[in-house]
Amino acid sequence: QVQLVESGGGLVQPGGSLRLSCAASGSFFSIYAMGWYRQAPGKRRELVAHINSGGSTNYADSVKGRFTISRDNAKNTVYLQMNSLKPEDTAVYFCHREIIGGAWGQGTQVTVSS
């Protein structure tokens, strides 16, 4: 069973930056698409960014131009670089192996506040 472990969350002021990491156990990491999702209190989990096995990416409109998803297949890791953070980016961020029934990480809290 694949395990995903997120890290890099924390408290940051508006306009600041954070880099999230998601390390995956197991084999064949490179063949799977990966996604970053977030869930704010009282809201549904939403897709933030997606990267396929070839490195093509897409983003939620709310984060385009501010967030960048990337992957390092040699390290079995997917990243989310978040710049120009806003209070509305506050949420728990999860990574996901993008297949039906795919593994989820435990989440990492991101809080944007002055």
Side-chain angles (χ1 to χ4, degrees):
Q1 178 71 16
V2 171
Q3 290 188 326
L4 304 175
V5 179
E6 300 98 335
S7 61
L11 173 64
V12 63
Q13 293 186 342
S17 297
L18 284 174
R19 187 195 195 204
L20 305 183
S21 300
C22 171
S25 65
S27 304
F28 308 113
F29 173 81
S30 62
I31 71 172
Y32 292 103
M34 297 294 295
W36 280 100
Y37 292 72
R38 66 187 180 188
Q39 187 166 18
K43 295 188 176 181
R44 299 181 65 176
R45 191 172 295 188
E46 62 174 356
L47 177 66
V48 173
H50 173 99
I51 185 166
N52 69 14
S53 59
S56 296
T57 59
N58 58 65
Y59 299 90
D61 288 343
S62 59
V63 307
K64 280 181 182 176
R66 300 188 298 121
F67 290 11
T68 302
I69 188 171
S70 61
R71 65 192 300 161
D72 185 337
N73 291 332
K75 295 182 178 180
N76 279 18
T77 300
V78 61
Y79 303 98
L80 185 68
Q81 177 67 42
M82 306 186 295
N83 299 327
S84 302
L85 283 160
K86 305 175 181 180
E88 51 264 43
D89 295 318
T90 295
V92 179
Y93 283 71
F94 301 88
C95 63
H96 179 246
R97 176 170 282 191
E98 298 282 69
I99 58 173
I100 295 173
W104 289 90
Q106 83 289 349
T108 185
Q109 176 70 47
V110 172
T111 303
V112 185
S113 175
S114 55

